[in-house]
Amino acid sequence: MQLEQPSRASTWNGTVPNAVDTRVLGLVVVTAALAASINLPYGGLPTAAVAFALLSAGGVSLHLLGERKLRRITDGLVERWVAAGGRVDDVTRSSSGTRTEWRVHTPDGEVVIGGVALLPIARLSVEWRGIGDTMAASEAESDLDRLAAGLYREIFEFGANR
């Protein structure tokens, strides 16, 4: 008698959702307003308005670029896991505090990938079963193959045996 092996096929559809975070955008706007208000006594309202517009536009751009980088890393990790035989059911967006996060749903539990989505200080964190690791997003992106392989062993090979 032979037992039927469960299918290792992934049901993931290949899209990581956008995660533009309104709380981070709010923080950028408030910080830009505070910084621009310093110009009121020296340059008046027109100078403060120009400073606010420039600082807000710059901050929003940096957030969008940081979110794009984190989403690209998340997508790369999930694609490599699926290609290696890992089963990913879905990828959903979530957030906590000022972190932008994606939850990768696997049969063995959720993997939370996210971080601070503001480009100069963009950090990636990966958490699985309460254990997490954090690194610079640029470092993670440059060494994505090694990172994906290490996390695959930890989540799909060792995690399936627990």
Side-chain angles (χ1 to χ4, degrees):
M1 185 168 145
Q2 204 174 34
L3 294 176
E4 187 173 311
Q5 293 285 342
S7 172
R8 301 269 307 165
S10 180
T11 59
W12 183 59
N13 65 2
T15 57
V16 173
N18 284 339
V20 175
D21 200 337
T22 56
R23 291 171 303 182
V24 174
L25 294 176
L27 179 65
V28 165
V29 169
V30 168
T31 304
L34 289 173
S37 70
I38 294 171
N39 291 311
L40 280 173
Y42 303 107
L45 191 58
T47 305
V50 169
F52 174 74
L54 289 174
L55 291 170
S56 294
V60 167
S61 298
L62 292 176
H63 171 61
L64 293 175
L65 290 171
E67 183 273 337
R68 184 176 169 198
K69 178 176 271 205
L70 290 178
R71 190 179 69 225
R72 207 172 37 239
I73 292 169
T74 302
D75 188 45
L77 287 173
V78 172
E79 281 181 3
R80 284 164 177 79
W81 293 343
V82 169
R87 181 162 181 226
V88 174
D89 297 327
D90 195 16
V91 179
T92 58
R93 176 191 182 277
S94 68
S95 58
S96 67
T98 56
R99 291 177 33 142
T100 304
E101 296 177 342
W102 292 270
R103 295 190 179 276
V104 179
H105 304 278
T106 69
D108 298 321
E110 284 186 349
V111 181
V112 180
I113 303 172
V116 179
L118 200 58
L119 195 57
I121 59 170
R123 302 220 22 106
L124 175 77
S125 68
V126 179
E127 182 181 326
W128 184 67
R129 291 190 176 175
I131 299 171
D133 192 16
T134 303
M135 66 184 66
S138 56
E139 178 186 329
E141 190 173 40
S142 67
D143 205 9
L144 194 57
D145 289 331
R146 188 178 66 76
L147 177 65
L151 289 171
Y152 179 84
R153 281 191 304 274
E154 195 173 310
I155 295 167
F156 294 99
E157 290 176 0
F158 299 139
N161 296 330
R162 291 181 189 175

